[in-house]
Amino acid sequence: MTILDGKKVSNDIKNEIKAEVDAMKANGEKVPHLAAVIVGDDGASLTYVNSKVKSCERVGFESTMIRLPHTTSELELLKKIKELNNNDDIDGFIIQLPLPPQIDTQKVLMAVDPSKDVDGFHPENFGRMALDMSTFIPATPFGILELLERYNVDTKGKHTVVIGRSHIVGRPMSILMSRKGWPGNSTVTLTHSSTKNIAQITTQADIIISALGVPDFVKAEMVRDDAVIIDVGITRVPDENAKRGYVLKGDVDFENVSKKASFITPVPGGVGPMTIAMLLKNTLLAREQRRE
Ligand code: NAP
């Protein structure tokens, strides 16, 4: 069994990005600038945005964090997005989700200039991804592809079962794994909460990509020997013995499933760090496209 070490690979990617940024600086070029907008003070969202900003510093990007109160109206947020779209100094920006209920997420994501949409959530970019055109691939699926590639995991002709059909993970993952190319060329089954007999389906999988957010959902008896297991889930489970009062749990019963798997991602230290690295990669791409 091989651990797909997202922490290590993401560090490698950050070092590669830093080398490119250093070369840009040496040439007197503008370095990439990522902005992140966060509305409200959700603890998990703040942690994510802070680590994105920290990662920007680590690779030499400029970063701007824009914090708006949870009472922000849709109109105010749309105005902020317009400002960012028109700000030539910003190469890419993200709107941290989830947004408060008074704001229509779809409307907000549609307002982001596709050339600055480094999260890859705008319908234009999502459509380009589905059509195999160059685009910003959403960071989490992009990170999974990169992990599979760097560990040389064979995906061609394999049966990939994706659990969860969200717009940011499960759905794009199912499209990417079925595309012609590598990683890809898989036969994909996309499952969700209305899927019947899910265990019967997962036991036929060569590759399982789990993104539902239910701790220990994927159990050893749901997995065939030598399966590849990608655990996207991150759930904060209260634990009074933990320093922060909670522990992070994946969707997979790691202890037992890892005994059967050929490759497996841990939580934490698997897909999570890859997501941030690929956001940086998309921001570098955005800068390069603006330069051309
Ligand atoms: P989401 O929007 O809540 O979607 C969850 C999906 O799981 C839905 O499609 C839902 O089905 C399905 N589902 C729920 N219960 C199910 C069940 N019992 N059986 C089968 N399918 C079920 O979640 P998300 O945003 O994709 O995130 C999923 C998990 O990944 C969360 O833990 C999140 O924190 C984590 N995540 C991690 C990263 C990272 O960087 N590692 C990035 C993003 C998300 P329906 O469509 O039928 O409701």
Side-chain angles (χ1 to χ4, degrees):
M1 184 270 295
T2 303
I3 299 272
L4 297 170
D5 187 346
K7 205 167 169 192
K8 183 199 168 292
V9 174
S10 69
N11 269 324
D12 293 346
I13 294 169
K14 285 180 192 166
N15 288 338
E16 291 159 18
I17 295 174
K18 184 167 188 315
E20 290 196 45
V21 175
D22 287 346
M24 284 175 161
K25 278 187 190 158
N27 283 338
E29 287 176 34
K30 177 189 175 318
V31 299
H33 187 167
L34 175 73
V37 182
I38 178 161
V39 185
D41 35 33
D42 175 67
S45 295
L46 272 170
T47 308
Y48 291 140
V49 172
N50 278 326
S51 56
K52 286 168 188 173
V53 169
K54 238 190 187 154
S55 296
C56 282
E57 284 166 17
R58 148 102 158 73
V59 299
F61 285 7
E62 281 183 58
S63 64
T64 301
M65 181 162 159
I66 299 157
R67 282 193 70 175
L68 301 174
H70 74 276
T71 48
T72 303
S73 70
E74 188 177 285
L75 206 66
E76 285 165 327
L77 180 57
L78 290 172
K79 209 172 134 208
K80 180 54 73 184
I81 291 172
K82 202 169 172 191
E83 268 173 46
L84 292 168
N85 284 342
N86 293 330
N87 183 344
D88 273 342
D89 195 50
I90 304 282
D91 297 296
F93 65 98
I94 57 163
I95 313 293
Q96 186 66 38
L97 302 179
L99 292 168
Q102 73 274 16
I103 300 175
D104 180 343
T105 302
Q106 207 62 49
K107 220 172 181 178
V108 164
L109 297 181
M110 294 271 286
V112 176
D113 180 337
S115 73
K116 293 190 177 189
D117 170 40
V118 285
D119 257 340
F121 294 163
H122 190 283
E124 181 177 320
N125 286 325
F126 201 92
R128 291 178 68 91
M129 176 198 68
L131 294 170
D132 294 334
M133 295 165 77
S134 79
T135 185
F136 300 115
I137 297 175
T140 302
F142 196 10
I144 294 170
L145 293 183
E146 192 77 16
L147 259 187
L148 294 172
E149 195 174 330
R150 293 203 184 210
Y151 278 87
N152 218 3
V153 176
D154 189 14
T155 59
K156 186 177 178 183
K158 304 292 180 189
H159 181 203
T160 295
V161 173
V162 179
I163 311 176
R165 58 179 162 187
S166 74
H167 295 168
I168 62 168
V169 191
R171 182 75 54 81
M173 208 57 237
S174 69
I175 294 170
L176 292 162
M177 289 301 282
S178 69
R179 72 184 176 166
K180 209 167 187 164
W182 182 71
N185 269 327
S186 264
T187 305
V188 177
T189 303
L190 180 58
T191 65
H192 42 77
S193 66
S194 297
T195 302
K196 288 187 180 141
N197 302 326
I198 203 159
Q200 210 173 29
I201 299 169
T202 55
T203 46
Q204 290 167 30
D206 300 303
I207 301 170
I208 297 176
I209 301 174
S210 183
L212 74 158
V214 178
D216 291 341
F217 180 86
V218 179
K219 307 224 178 311
E221 57 270 24
M222 293 168 69
V223 174
R224 72 151 65 137
D225 285 339
D226 294 328
V228 176
I229 309 293
I230 307 290
D231 188 353
V232 186
I234 304 177
T235 306
R236 288 183 175 195
V237 176
D239 182 340
E240 53 190 36
N241 296 321
K243 211 166 119 195
R244 292 177 177 155
Y246 65 86
V247 288
L248 294 180
K249 294 284 281 175
D251 289 349
V252 176
D253 172 6
F254 184 88
E255 194 188 334
N256 295 305
V257 171
S258 59
K259 291 176 187 150
K260 294 176 93 176
S262 56
F263 293 91
I264 187 165
T265 59
V267 176
V271 176
M274 290 301 293
T275 298
I276 295 187
M278 301 322 273
L279 174 68
L280 298 175
K281 211 162 176 172
N282 275 343
T283 307
L284 179 64
L285 180 69
R287 171 87 289 269
E288 286 166 353
Q289 285 174 352
R290 296 177 77 71
R291 186 178 54 188
E292 279 158 17

